[in-house]
Amino acid sequence: MRQLAEDIVTKCPLVSPTRLPEIEQLLYYLQTRPVTSSSSPKQVSVSPDAEEASIHDLDNYIDLLYEEIEDKERGAKLVLQLTRNPEFLEEVLAKETVLTALARVLREDWNKSMQLSSDILYIFFCFSNFSQFHQLVAHFKIGALCMTIIEEELKRAKKWKAELDSTKKSREADDFRKLQKRYRTLIRKQDGLLRIGLYLLLNLSENPDVQFKMRIKGIIKMLVEVIITRQAEPVLILALSLLQRMSIFKENKDEMKRQKVTGAVLPIVSDQKAADTLNLTLRLLMNLSFDKVIRQVKNNQADLSKDSSEHR
């Protein structure tokens, strides 16, 4: 599914790379859409190894969200199956306790399970694809919680990296390689969470008032760290897309100047990144270039550029 979505984005120049998660969701819907008659139970077909979700069992999935972490993971995954199908969004929404329970679990347990937090964020992302549900997402303060989760995950990644570096000299080569492999696996899983979270924030940022709240909460500083420390193209594309969208407003541009955004993104131009990533970077730099001060600070950005290149 993921590979097919990437092929579509790569081969169709009219499809923006920022739409990758949405393309992936639409492909999932086309593959799993119900083919039975209207009188048959509404279900989502999944792979043989996965549990099949049914809209008629939604109350049972809600009950799972009040149990142990493993049950919460199962409940969230089943609800996610339903919400990835746009036909079920209204029916899920009709059960008022579903989103309330999901928001509570995300708020209380996001740091206990990366899979759980990823799945719940993905559920709210499915709603955020439609502007009429943005107020609903805002009601549960998912945007602010999403930013908190991303910030904490970036701190966690720093801790992992520090532990990896500290053991490089103190352990045998085989032990270090095993630890390095585990670190890379964790980073890949974390990239998946960041991709969902950033796309959710990108959808919500359509509203300038929401952008204002994001800026006050420190999103620009957070996006700079994402760009400096992450290598996954989908994550970079979404971070750059958010910055590029926000850069058209003076207040956001001024904050980008304070956070030295240009120093963070300039290495992308010379790193020979994918065309989509480079295109977004250049568009962002073009927006920022209208500020005279930003045009003249290149010589003062050597430290950030050096730090960025060390992480890439």
Side-chain angles (χ1 to χ4, degrees), residues 147-160:
M147 283 186 58
T148 298
I149 292 172
I150 292 176
E151 289 168 352
E152 292 301 318
E153 288 297 338
L154 291 173
K155 291 178 183 177
R156 185 181 296 183
K158 277 187 176 180
K159 183 179 179 181
W160 292 341

Side-chain angles (χ1 to χ4, degrees), residues 243-254:
L243 286 172
Q244 195 268 336
R245 172 178 287 176
M246 296 181 70
S247 65
I248 64 175
F249 294 99
K250 181 181 182 301
E251 296 81 3
N252 296 337
K253 180 266 299 178
D254 290 342

Side-chain angles (χ1 to χ4, degrees), residues 2 17-18 20 154 191 194-195 198-199 202 222-244 264-265 267-269 271-274 276-281 284 308 311-312:
R2 170 76 179 180
T18 61
L20 181 60
L154 291 173
D191 280 341
L194 295 182
R195 180 171 64 91
L198 289 173
Y199 206 151
L202 181 63
M222 182 190 79
L223 293 173
V224 167
E225 185 170 356
V226 169
I227 290 171
I228 290 176
T229 61
R230 314 306 285 203
Q231 297 185 35
E233 293 284 347
V235 174
L236 289 175
I237 284 174
L238 289 165
L240 289 165
S241 297
L242 254 170
L243 286 172
Q244 195 268 336
V265 303
I268 295 176
V269 179
D271 280 358
Q272 297 182 339
K273 288 288 184 180
D276 294 328
T277 309
L278 179 60
N279 179 49
L280 281 168
T281 303
L284 170 61
S308 179
H311 284 280
R312 294 178 185 279

Side-chain angles (χ1 to χ4, degrees), residues 15-34:
V15 179
S16 169
T18 61
R19 313 299 290 184
L20 181 60
E22 186 176 348
I23 297 297
E24 188 177 353
Q25 182 187 3
L26 289 172
L27 289 173
Y28 177 89
Y29 164 61
L30 291 173
Q31 185 184 58
T32 61
R33 60 182 176 176

